Amino acid sequence: MLFEQRSYIAEFGIFVGIGEIVGGQIAGRVVSRLGFKRSSVLTTLLGVTAYTVIAFMFPLFYNSAPVIEPNRWANNALGICIGVIDVSNNVIITTAIGTVYKDNSAQIFTL
């Protein structure tokens, strides 16, 4: 049981990375094609969609039992959604900072 729980944690980390790669590809293509002002809405909707999927996934973890039994597919889907949320938030923040500080963006991004 302990080794199975550790494998869930490792798989979760792998799927967070997969979610960040996939979300980064989607958000990057949208921002590069539409520019910041129009793409910020779509990138925000991508993050909100991932938040909604997480909200609907929580009943999968609780099977009306006093003990939470792990669910491998829900764990992996949760990792992907968290990766997509992280990417959408980071893309919006870095694009907004780069747009506001066009002339002095090098100093801002060193932080």
Side-chain angles (χ1 to χ4, degrees):
M1 183 74 172
L2 179 63
F3 293 114
E4 186 174 330
Q5 290 174 352
R6 287 184 182 173
S7 70
Y8 283 155
I9 294 170
E11 283 182 12
F12 182 78
I14 290 169
F15 279 94
V16 166
I18 290 171
E20 288 192 10
I21 291 169
V22 171
Q25 289 292 319
I26 294 170
R29 289 178 194 260
V30 168
V31 169
S32 67
R33 288 189 182 166
L34 298 178
F36 172 67
K37 291 185 179 182
R38 289 182 284 177
S39 68
S40 63
V41 174
L42 293 176
T43 309
T44 304
L45 287 176
L46 179 69
V48 168
T49 304
Y51 278 121
T52 306
V53 169
I54 288 175
F56 284 119
M57 277 180 24
F58 271 107
L60 293 175
F61 291 114
Y62 302 107
N63 296 328
S64 67
V67 177
I68 300 173
E69 296 190 19
N71 185 346
R72 184 171 299 246
W73 296 106
N75 183 39
N76 296 344
L78 183 67
I80 289 174
C81 288
I82 288 176
V84 168
I85 289 168
D86 183 44
V87 164
S88 64
N89 290 336
N90 290 339
V91 165
I92 290 170
I93 290 170
T94 55
T95 309
I97 289 173
T99 303
V100 171
Y101 299 104
K102 288 182 183 178
D103 299 331
N104 298 327
S105 63
Q107 293 86 4
I108 297 297
F109 287 114
T110 57
L111 297 174

